[in-house]
Amino acid sequence: GVKDGSWTVLQLVEALGSCLENTDPRTRGRGIQLLSQVLLHCYTLLQEKEVLHLVLFYENRLQDHHLVIPSVLQGLRALSMCDVLSPGLAVSVLKAIFQEVHVQSLLQLDRHTVYSIITNFMGTREEELKGLGADFTFGFIQVMDGEKDPRNLLVAFQIVHDLITKNYALGPFVEELFEVTSCYFPIDFTPPPNDPHGIQREDLILSLRAVLASTPQFAEFLLPLLIEKMDSDLQSAKIDSLQTLTACCAIYGQKELQEFLPSLWSSLRREVFQTASEKVEAECLATLHALSACLSRSVLSSDTEDLLDSFLSSILQDCRHHLCEPDMKLVWPSAKLLQAAAGASLRAYHCVTRSVLPLLLEQYTKHPQSSQRRTILEMLLGFLELQQKWGHVEEDESSLLSLRVPVCSVVFSALTDPSVQLQLVGIRALTVLGSLQGFLSPSDLELVVDHLIRLALREEDSQSSEAAMEAAGSLAPIYPKVFSGRMVPRLEEELQSEREEESSRDHHSLRQRCLQALAAVSIHASIVRETVPVLLQHLRKVQKGSEAGNAQDMVSVCQSLHRVALQCQQDAEGCWYYHQTVVPCLLAMAVQAAVQESTHPLLGKALLEEEVLAAMVPVISAATTHLSPELAAQSVSHVVPLFLDGEVSFLPQNSFPCSFQPFEDGECLEAQRRLVVLLMAFVCSLPRNVAIPQQERLLRELLALSCSCNCPFTATTAAKCFAGLVNKHPAGQQLDEILQLAVNRMEPGLADGPRRMQALTLLLWVTKALVLRYHPLSSHLTDKLLGLLGDAELGPAAADGFSLLMAESPDVLHKGCHADVRIMFRQRFFTDNVPKLVQGFHGAGPNVKANYLKGLSHVLNHLPKPVLVTELPMLLSLLLEALSCSDRVVQLSTLSCLQPLLLEAPQIMSLHIDTLVTKFLSLTSSPTMAVRIAALRCAHALTSLPTTVLLPYKARVIRALAKPLDDKKRLVRKEAVAARGEWYV
């Protein structure tokens, strides 16, 4: 009635008169409860005058019997949310609550109501409450004092935080407010199991910390408390104290900290020197960093002591001498403390490094052992890394710049040390020095490049070589002129000189490293313009050579070119330079080799080998995927006519002995047809919005080639290229026609004849292309594939095809090459086809059942595990049957599918424990090593099931796992040890 306006609240009060004036407190309580519930629903509808009368009524009721008070508080909560509350009423209500209600004697919910009333008034009547002065603070202290419920404490802590941060008057009650909150520090609360309120210990810790660290006025009371708790035996108390102190440093100044600095440093030093806990150590270092930063921020007047200086002097005095003992255990704690203090500000850094860096350099010279030098250099590296925070090295300030010569001398000496571990630290130090703008002189930079070349190419240990290449990659963008002018020519020289020498394993390794180093430094656009021609020139030389290892050399060059392509992708200009330089060159070389093969067999043969062509694919793909649509269209207008019409005019060095016709018939053109793989790499990597010229003709040619070619490599490549184009083709009549043509070519090919395998390959790739984009024809093609599982000849290959459908393809049909991939295609494929696989399995003859199991295990292996867990009860019996299959691929797929399920669905798996134990133990004796390893991993994973389920099998499993401990393969023995150990415990 109040909501629809047929009643006013005052009429309701009158109607409740007999209840509200009843002598029985329970009856009065029920009357007020009803009124309060109405107000909670209708407080937005009240008029100012009604609110005034109701407030006066409810204030009066606060003096009533204790049974009535909860309902009165609910009514006041409703009124505290009214927008039309007259000025002065909020103060009046709170005074009445402070005066009349002993809050801590109320139940939890009623105490929460009081906190809510205060919160509401603080949100809407802030100025009025501030008019109460410190009386409001004192009143709230009385309300909160003794609170124990975590739900209420979260609200109460927020109120205290607001009191402080919104500048309410604390008056003489600062210490009382601190006491009423700090009594909960450190928080010791464990939520009960199945707690519906969801309050965690961390929530209370953070809420209380926000209060304690909200004002410098608490410092004189809080810092002694924190020092006391830091000395506690409880690790949680130590960590909470340290984190709170760190938070306080953000708002404290010298004045608050001065008195307590010696005690704080003493506690922090003791913890870092003595603690066994890495977490406590990390928090101590963070706190020391915060203290140093706080003292660095303080503005000094002429007559005040520089506390930062005296604080750092104490740290140096206690830690510096330990740095002279690189074999002693306190050397690293001391270094960490000094670095934590130094990293807080540039002023602190200069103060510490002025004292420490000369000492470390002296110690490095004094200690000849590599292990000691490594420790000293690692400490030096820590201080050098701190300088990176401030970037440019200032001449007038930096103690580091005055030590440039000895620092460089120490780092360069580490690079020539026989110890690999010392070299690695030296390389890291070199990278840091190079990143400090203005630190290295031109002559130093030349020396840096020389050292990196020597380490990258000549150092026997691969760790040092790889680290040097990584360092070169980090420094090259900072000093592009030095690296393009000094390093690239040296690497080119090494490559060329090696071609003239006798080939050997060492020389081959050196060539490999040269190629890797050229790729590593190709980070900056100006360097890429130097390195790419060198790599392509080397590839041409290798192609013309006649060595046995030519193919492997070509693969190495392609791997380096691929790395450069990936590094160019984010720079549009660099990407286009790379594309128009590399892609035509690779195509020209390949066409040259193919045309020569057609006319003069044996010339340029290495370039046409499958592994070399396969290595070119990612190069062309990476060079194409990030092109802008305009530039991609420009490039495609040359490449497609090359393959369809033999248009070679855009290729460099394009005088070929005969025409290039990869789609024509004839045995002599087999080599040319192999190059369709390069066409695939290009057209399947184009952005979807780039139009491909003569696309319908191209699709027909690819379709014909995939079905008619005798070479499996070429036929598969053509099928993949066709599928890649079909996947991106816009929906419509043209696509439907080309797909119908494909189906008409596939069906007769699958039925009989010499090229059934080619037809199956085409079916698999086209099906994948359509499954990824949810095309309606995909279900028809999948059914055809399911039908082939019963075929004696094609069944095993069709079963393996399910892996192809579900797995990520590396070269086509993935998101990186702009394919149309729907987000949940695997789940959809599972839902549509697994019931058919199960049904087919049950109806199949004994000689083809394995095909269905293999197909099923491939699908399940690639399914997201949460989806698989939900379907597990239906499929588990079939998976267990698959373990009895003699096909090792089925066994391996099934085991790799079951292992994560043992961890993620222990309750369901426990129901089949007897079968699982028997099958896994049986397969640990399989003749196939991979199956033995997978079975042992599953036996290991069984230990995640409930202990009560496992205990009856413990002795049997431990006995059975003794046999693989003697397996002839080390990897099997390793898994057996891990599994058996877990069963023992």
Side-chain angles (χ1 to χ4, degrees), residues 58 81 88 121 161 173 204 230 233 296 428 451 462 562 678 705 711 716 786 793 819 862 953 976:
Y58 272 105
M81 293 186 280
F121 283 146
H161 185 260
F173 304 116
L204 289 164
M230 279 161 66
D233 292 334
S296 301
R428 281 165 53 207
H451 276 297
S462 61
H562 180 229
L678 305 183
L705 185 60
C711 170
T716 302
L786 287 164
E793 182 190 350
H862 292 94
Y953 300 91

Side-chain angles (χ1 to χ4, degrees), residues 298 349 526 675 706 751 780 867 960:
S298 299
Y349 179 77
S526 65
L675 301 198
S706 68
H780 169 69
V867 180

Side-chain angles (χ1 to χ4, degrees), residues 574-746:
C575 186
W576 178 234
Y577 163 77
Y578 182 91
H579 181 89
Q580 63 180 356
T581 307
V582 174
V583 174
C585 181
L586 292 183
L587 289 173
M589 290 169 64
V591 170
Q592 178 81 37
V595 168
Q596 282 180 343
E597 178 74 8
S598 306
T599 54
H600 304 90
L602 300 178
L603 273 177
K605 181 109 178 160
L607 195 64
L608 300 174
E609 289 186 21
E610 283 181 24
E611 61 174 328
V612 177
L613 291 172
M616 285 186 181
V617 169
V619 179
I620 295 174
S621 181
T624 307
T625 50
H626 284 63
L627 288 181
S628 67
E630 299 76 29
L631 295 174
Q634 190 179 323
S635 192
V636 78
S637 67
H638 296 305
V639 175
V640 172
L642 167 69
F643 281 86
L644 287 179
D645 306 313
E647 180 53 66
V648 297
S649 58
F650 83 103
L651 297 178
Q653 302 166 346
N654 54 20
S655 56
F656 302 121
C658 68
S659 59
F660 179 59
Q661 301 167 315
F663 290 115
E664 296 294 321
D665 290 332
E667 278 190 34
C668 65
L669 298 176
E670 179 55 49
Q672 295 187 18
R673 284 195 281 271
R674 293 166 81 82
L675 301 198
V676 170
V677 71
L678 305 183
L679 173 68
M680 174 200 79
F682 176 77
V683 294
C684 292
S685 302
L686 291 168
R688 254 186 276 176
N689 54 356
V690 175
I692 296 172
Q694 308 181 68
Q695 184 167 8
E696 305 312 311
R697 178 186 164 198
L698 179 60
L699 284 165
R700 289 169 190 272
E701 295 284 14
L702 288 166
L703 181 60
L705 185 60
S706 68
C707 294
S708 61
C709 184
N710 291 321
C711 170
F713 175 79
T714 304
T716 302
T717 299
K720 288 162 75 171
C721 190
F722 179 83
L725 292 173
V726 160
N727 173 264
K728 296 181 192 177
H729 199 295
Q733 187 181 349
Q734 281 187 324
L735 178 63
D736 295 341
E737 286 174 5
I738 201 74
L739 286 174
Q740 190 55 53
L741 190 64
V743 171
N744 294 344
R745 290 294 293 264
M746 280 188 285

Side-chain angles (χ1 to χ4, degrees), residues 245-281:
L245 179 54
T246 302
C248 289
C249 287
I251 60 159
Y252 285 5
Q254 287 207 156
K255 180 164 68 77
E256 287 78 23
L257 292 172
Q258 183 165 11
E259 182 188 341
F260 303 98
L261 280 175
S263 302
L264 288 169
W265 164 238
S266 174
S267 296
L268 291 170
R269 182 191 61 212
R270 186 187 63 253
E271 287 301 328
V272 173
F273 279 177
Q274 296 179 6
T275 186
S277 162
E278 287 183 15
K279 192 163 177 54
V280 172
E281 182 189 87

Side-chain angles (χ1 to χ4, degrees), residues 204-268:
L204 289 164
I205 288 173
L206 294 175
S207 191
L208 176 56
R209 185 176 300 151
V211 171
L212 296 177
S214 61
T215 174
Q217 295 180 74
F218 283 169
E220 61 179 303
F221 315 114
L222 177 60
L223 290 173
L225 174 66
L226 294 178
I227 291 167
E228 178 194 331
K229 298 300 181 186
M230 279 161 66
D231 298 342
S232 157
D233 292 334
L234 279 175
Q235 181 172 315
S236 60
K238 285 182 196 287
I239 289 172
D240 201 354
S241 304
L242 290 162
Q243 290 174 341
T244 303
L245 179 54
T246 302
C248 289
C249 287
I251 60 159
Y252 285 5
Q254 287 207 156
K255 180 164 68 77
E256 287 78 23
L257 292 172
Q258 183 165 11
E259 182 188 341
F260 303 98
L261 280 175
S263 302
L264 288 169
W265 164 238
S266 174
S267 296
L268 291 170

Side-chain angles (χ1 to χ4, degrees), residues 530-556:
E530 301 291 332
T531 55
V532 165
V534 173
L535 290 169
L536 292 175
Q537 182 61 30
H538 184 63
L539 188 61
R540 288 192 198 96
K541 284 195 168 187
V542 176
Q543 183 193 6
K544 290 172 185 171
S546 58
E547 294 176 22
N550 270 8
Q552 190 50 53
D553 275 353
M554 288 183 175
V555 170
S556 299

